[in-house]
Amino acid sequence: MNDKTSQWKPNVTVAAVIERGGAFLLVEEQTTDGVRYNQPAGHLEAGESLVDAVIRETLEESAWRFTPSSLIGVYQYHQVASGTTYLRFAFAGELSDHDAGRTLDTGILRALWMPVAEIRACRAKHRSPLLMQCVDDYLAGRRHPLEVLHHHS
């Protein structure tokens, strides 16, 4: 396509994949499809780096401070029902402070720790197939250094 006005663009999102003792940090959220599970995740904002976005989204959705240490992968997902395509950057890392009194983002019901077996058992309640794919890739040891990402402001 040469016409820039009709150029297609995916929705760029970030997600934090955080494991402690065999359980993963998830958020339970109210969506148009009902209550669903996802990693702490959200959209990249204008001018924001991918790393800054995942730090912000994790705090806003779970009240945990997240320090990314590696990129697990980049995922393209087309949601047929909405016609929306997502380009997700999933990060592994560590948590530090938890602000239990912090108000979570609109739509987020709670943050919770869920064992892998339970995550697999409730696939029908996943926000998208990316939740399980990111967990599986994390468990398979997929990690890429953050240096593969470049943010030029």
Side-chain angles (χ1 to χ4, degrees), residues 110-133:
R110 66 183 175 133
L112 67 153
W113 292 94
M114 189 179 285
V116 175
E118 287 182 37
I119 296 171
R120 289 190 200 292
C122 71
R123 284 181 193 253
K125 296 199 95 183
H126 291 187
R127 179 86 186 251
S128 81
L130 297 181
L131 188 165
M132 198 72 244
Q133 184 66 59

Short mmCIF file of all heavy atoms in Angstrom, two decimals, residues 110-133:
data_model
loop_
_atom_site.label_atom_id
_atom_site.label_comp_id
_atom_site.label_asym_id
_atom_site.label_seq_id
_atom_site.Cartn_x
_atom_site.Cartn_y
_atom_site.Cartn_z
N ARG A 110 -9.40 -7.98 40.52
CA ARG A 110 -8.37 -8.33 41.50
C ARG A 110 -7.17 -8.92 40.80
O ARG A 110 -7.24 -9.38 39.66
CB ARG A 110 -8.91 -9.34 42.51
CG ARG A 110 -9.24 -10.69 41.89
CD ARG A 110 -9.84 -11.66 42.89
NE ARG A 110 -10.25 -12.88 42.22
CZ ARG A 110 -9.99 -14.10 42.66
NH1 ARG A 110 -9.32 -14.27 43.78
NH2 ARG A 110 -10.42 -15.16 42.00
N ALA A 111 -6.05 -8.89 41.51
CA ALA A 111 -4.84 -9.60 41.09
C ALA A 111 -4.77 -10.86 41.93
O ALA A 111 -5.16 -10.85 43.10
CB ALA A 111 -3.61 -8.72 41.31
N LEU A 112 -4.30 -11.95 41.33
CA LEU A 112 -4.23 -13.22 42.06
C LEU A 112 -3.09 -14.06 41.53
O LEU A 112 -2.59 -13.84 40.44
CB LEU A 112 -5.56 -13.99 41.92
CG LEU A 112 -5.91 -14.50 40.53
CD1 LEU A 112 -6.79 -15.74 40.66
CD2 LEU A 112 -6.62 -13.44 39.72
N TRP A 113 -2.67 -15.01 42.37
CA TRP A 113 -1.64 -15.98 41.99
C TRP A 113 -2.35 -17.28 41.63
O TRP A 113 -3.16 -17.78 42.41
CB TRP A 113 -0.66 -16.19 43.13
CG TRP A 113 0.16 -14.97 43.39
CD1 TRP A 113 -0.09 -13.98 44.28
CD2 TRP A 113 1.35 -14.59 42.70
NE1 TRP A 113 0.87 -13.00 44.20
CE2 TRP A 113 1.77 -13.36 43.24
CE3 TRP A 113 2.11 -15.17 41.68
CZ2 TRP A 113 2.91 -12.70 42.80
CZ3 TRP A 113 3.24 -14.51 41.25
CH2 TRP A 113 3.64 -13.30 41.79
N MET A 114 -2.05 -17.81 40.44
CA MET A 114 -2.72 -19.02 39.99
C MET A 114 -1.69 -20.06 39.52
O MET A 114 -0.84 -19.75 38.69
CB MET A 114 -3.68 -18.69 38.85
CG MET A 114 -4.59 -19.85 38.46
SD MET A 114 -5.76 -19.43 37.12
CE MET A 114 -6.95 -18.41 38.00
N PRO A 115 -1.78 -21.29 40.07
CA PRO A 115 -0.88 -22.36 39.62
C PRO A 115 -1.13 -22.71 38.14
O PRO A 115 -2.25 -22.55 37.63
CB PRO A 115 -1.24 -23.54 40.51
CG PRO A 115 -1.97 -22.95 41.67
CD PRO A 115 -2.64 -21.71 41.15
N VAL A 116 -0.11 -23.22 37.49
CA VAL A 116 -0.19 -23.54 36.06
C VAL A 116 -1.35 -24.49 35.77
O VAL A 116 -2.08 -24.30 34.79
CB VAL A 116 1.14 -24.15 35.56
CG1 VAL A 116 1.04 -24.60 34.12
CG2 VAL A 116 2.26 -23.14 35.71
N ALA A 117 -1.54 -25.51 36.60
CA ALA A 117 -2.63 -26.47 36.35
C ALA A 117 -3.98 -25.78 36.34
O ALA A 117 -4.85 -26.10 35.51
CB ALA A 117 -2.60 -27.58 37.41
N GLU A 118 -4.18 -24.80 37.21
CA GLU A 118 -5.45 -24.06 37.24
C GLU A 118 -5.59 -23.16 36.02
O GLU A 118 -6.68 -22.99 35.48
CB GLU A 118 -5.56 -23.24 38.52
CG GLU A 118 -5.84 -24.07 39.75
CD GLU A 118 -5.99 -23.20 41.00
OE1 GLU A 118 -6.56 -22.09 40.91
OE2 GLU A 118 -5.54 -23.66 42.06
N ILE A 119 -4.47 -22.57 35.59
CA ILE A 119 -4.50 -21.72 34.39
C ILE A 119 -4.93 -22.57 33.19
O ILE A 119 -5.80 -22.18 32.41
CB ILE A 119 -3.13 -21.05 34.13
CG1 ILE A 119 -2.78 -20.09 35.26
CG2 ILE A 119 -3.15 -20.30 32.78
CD1 ILE A 119 -1.36 -19.54 35.20
N ARG A 120 -4.34 -23.75 33.07
CA ARG A 120 -4.70 -24.65 31.97
C ARG A 120 -6.17 -25.07 32.05
O ARG A 120 -6.85 -25.19 31.03
CB ARG A 120 -3.82 -25.89 31.98
CG ARG A 120 -2.40 -25.63 31.57
CD ARG A 120 -1.62 -26.93 31.36
NE ARG A 120 -0.19 -26.71 31.43
CZ ARG A 120 0.53 -26.03 30.57
NH1 ARG A 120 -0.05 -25.50 29.52
NH2 ARG A 120 1.84 -25.89 30.72
N ALA A 121 -6.66 -25.29 33.25
CA ALA A 121 -8.02 -25.80 33.46
C ALA A 121 -9.10 -24.76 33.16
O ALA A 121 -10.26 -25.13 32.97
CB ALA A 121 -8.17 -26.32 34.89
N CYS A 122 -8.73 -23.49 33.14
CA CYS A 122 -9.76 -22.45 32.92
C CYS A 122 -9.56 -21.70 31.60
O CYS A 122 -9.88 -20.52 31.52
CB CYS A 122 -9.81 -21.49 34.11
SG CYS A 122 -8.39 -20.40 34.25
N ARG A 123 -9.09 -22.39 30.58
CA ARG A 123 -8.83 -21.74 29.28
C ARG A 123 -10.03 -20.97 28.73
O ARG A 123 -9.87 -19.96 28.06
CB ARG A 123 -8.38 -22.77 28.25
CG ARG A 123 -6.96 -23.22 28.43
CD ARG A 123 -6.60 -24.22 27.35
NE ARG A 123 -5.36 -24.91 27.65
CZ ARG A 123 -4.22 -24.68 27.01
NH1 ARG A 123 -4.15 -23.78 26.07
NH2 ARG A 123 -3.15 -25.36 27.35
N ALA A 124 -11.23 -21.45 29.01
CA ALA A 124 -12.43 -20.78 28.50
C ALA A 124 -12.59 -19.38 29.09
O ALA A 124 -13.30 -18.55 28.54
CB ALA A 124 -13.67 -21.61 28.80
N LYS A 125 -11.91 -19.12 30.20
CA LYS A 125 -12.00 -17.80 30.85
C LYS A 125 -10.76 -16.94 30.57
O LYS A 125 -10.62 -15.87 31.16
CB LYS A 125 -12.21 -17.98 32.35
CG LYS A 125 -13.55 -18.65 32.65
CD LYS A 125 -13.96 -18.43 34.06
CE LYS A 125 -14.87 -17.24 34.01
NZ LYS A 125 -15.36 -16.77 35.27
N HIS A 126 -9.88 -17.38 29.68
CA HIS A 126 -8.71 -16.57 29.33
C HIS A 126 -9.14 -15.42 28.43
O HIS A 126 -10.01 -15.58 27.57
CB HIS A 126 -7.67 -17.40 28.58
CG HIS A 126 -7.02 -18.44 29.44
ND1 HIS A 126 -5.97 -19.19 28.98
CD2 HIS A 126 -7.24 -18.86 30.71
CE1 HIS A 126 -5.57 -20.03 29.92
NE2 HIS A 126 -6.35 -19.84 30.98
N ARG A 127 -8.53 -14.27 28.63
CA ARG A 127 -8.83 -13.09 27.80
C ARG A 127 -8.51 -13.38 26.34
O ARG A 127 -9.20 -12.95 25.43
CB ARG A 127 -8.03 -11.89 28.32
CG ARG A 127 -8.22 -10.60 27.54
CD ARG A 127 -9.43 -9.85 28.05
NE ARG A 127 -9.73 -8.70 27.24
CZ ARG A 127 -9.55 -7.44 27.61
NH1 ARG A 127 -9.07 -7.17 28.81
NH2 ARG A 127 -9.87 -6.47 26.81
N SER A 128 -7.41 -14.12 26.12
CA SER A 128 -7.01 -14.53 24.77
C SER A 128 -6.10 -15.75 24.90
O SER A 128 -5.62 -16.06 25.99
CB SER A 128 -6.27 -13.39 24.05
OG SER A 128 -4.92 -13.34 24.46
N PRO A 129 -5.83 -16.42 23.77
CA PRO A 129 -4.90 -17.56 23.82
C PRO A 129 -3.47 -17.14 24.15
O PRO A 129 -2.62 -17.99 24.44
CB PRO A 129 -5.00 -18.17 22.42
CG PRO A 129 -5.64 -17.15 21.56
CD PRO A 129 -6.42 -16.23 22.45
N LEU A 130 -3.20 -15.83 24.14
CA LEU A 130 -1.85 -15.36 24.44
C LEU A 130 -1.48 -15.62 25.90
O LEU A 130 -0.30 -15.80 26.21
CB LEU A 130 -1.71 -13.87 24.12
CG LEU A 130 -1.89 -13.50 22.65
CD1 LEU A 130 -1.70 -12.01 22.45
CD2 LEU A 130 -0.95 -14.29 21.76
N LEU A 131 -2.46 -15.65 26.81
CA LEU A 131 -2.16 -15.91 28.22
C LEU A 131 -1.41 -17.24 28.34
O LEU A 131 -0.32 -17.30 28.90
CB LEU A 131 -3.46 -15.95 29.03
CG LEU A 131 -3.33 -16.03 30.56
CD1 LEU A 131 -4.65 -15.67 31.21
CD2 LEU A 131 -2.83 -17.33 31.08
N MET A 132 -1.97 -18.32 27.81
CA MET A 132 -1.34 -19.63 27.95
C MET A 132 -0.07 -19.74 27.13
O MET A 132 0.91 -20.33 27.59
CB MET A 132 -2.33 -20.72 27.54
CG MET A 132 -1.96 -22.10 28.03
SD MET A 132 -2.20 -22.25 29.82
CE MET A 132 -0.53 -22.52 30.36
N GLN A 133 -0.06 -19.15 25.94
CA GLN A 133 1.14 -19.20 25.10
C GLN A 133 2.32 -18.54 25.80
O GLN A 133 3.43 -19.06 25.79
CB GLN A 133 0.89 -18.51 23.75
CG GLN A 133 2.07 -18.60 22.80
CD GLN A 133 2.34 -20.01 22.36
OE1 GLN A 133 1.46 -20.64 21.77
NE2 GLN A 133 3.52 -20.53 22.60
#
